[in-house]
Amino acid sequence: GKSAGMCRIFDMVKQVAPTNTTVLVLGESGTGKELIAKAIHYNSPRRDKPFMAVHCAAMVETLLESELFGHEKGAFTGAHVRKLGRFELAKGGSIFLDEIGEIAPSIQVKLLRVLQEREFFRVGGESVVKADVRVIAATNKDLEQAAQKGEFREDLFYRLNVFPITLPPLKDRRDDIPGLVRHFMRKFGQEGKDVKNEAIVCLMQYKWPGNLRELENVIERAMLIAGDGPITIACLPGHIQEPHAIHVSVDIPDEGISLERIEHEYILKAIEKAKGNKSKAAKLLGITRRALYSRMERFERGISPEMEDDEDDEV
């Protein structure tokens, strides 16, 4: 992204990356918090050491404790061997604690000790284990408010909140959308694919409640629907197209109407408006040239396909 908000984020990443400072990444779900954590790690002196990501909300309390701190053989039923936790496996590197606001109070206590003393005990262990690891945490919750309500340890919040970075939602950085579209197309191996301007405008006007994650999914879907042709508005999901749809008020008479006749008339009007150019007529109708021909062939009252051709016909 090149928006002012993202440029500030990148400046903050550059400032904090060379240090060992604990970072708290804030933002809505899907805004790219893990990407920022990786950017911090891979631009730091720890870049050649492990980057360990733990999604805290995905595990129950006992499993998360063992995952983070490890356990000794016999610590609990099923603990047949010693297991090293992520804090040990990430030695010399960074650990990313996603959805930190979801961890249980008992684990909050152990995490506070790691941040304060840089040491911890394995589950069922008696030996102190040193923690040479940088902590980067993330949440979509208001941790300060949660701490005030007693839902999150206040002392842990202040330990985590040394260097907060707040990511803006995608709706607040719409100017970045064209570049992000190209980025995702490169990711899916279709960098040179054509994207029609009206499709970009449509994407920029949508509110994106799912943020970057939703945009990535929409672009992957649009490329599949477009096939070898360009990405048009018609390739986008209906709920994104909706604000750009033409709403026509039609009264249905008692004797009924013919949908084929209405479709026929709109095709005739589109061809007339496009002055016979089949590609332009298809674009006006939001369909491909091939689909236009298919519809034309259905009509008994023929519409001559001998219309003006042009160089950038759609397939």
Side-chain angles (χ1 to χ4, degrees), residues 177-228:
I177 288 176
L180 288 166
V181 169
R182 293 295 175 189
H183 165 74
F184 290 130
M185 288 171 64
R186 283 195 299 274
K187 178 177 178 179
F188 295 119
Q190 297 195 39
E191 182 174 2
K193 193 173 187 65
D194 184 24
V195 184
K196 295 303 182 183
N197 185 62
E198 59 266 26
I200 292 292
V201 171
C202 186
L203 292 170
M204 291 179 70
Q205 291 180 352
Y206 180 59
K207 292 184 178 180
W208 298 108
N211 294 294
L212 296 176
R213 190 177 294 121
E214 183 182 8
L215 175 60
E216 180 177 3
N217 292 341
V218 166
I219 296 305
E220 183 177 11
R221 173 187 185 275
M223 289 191 302
L224 290 172
I225 292 174
D228 294 332

Side-chain angles (χ1 to χ4, degrees), residues 42 113 238:
Y42 290 111
R113 180 180 178 86

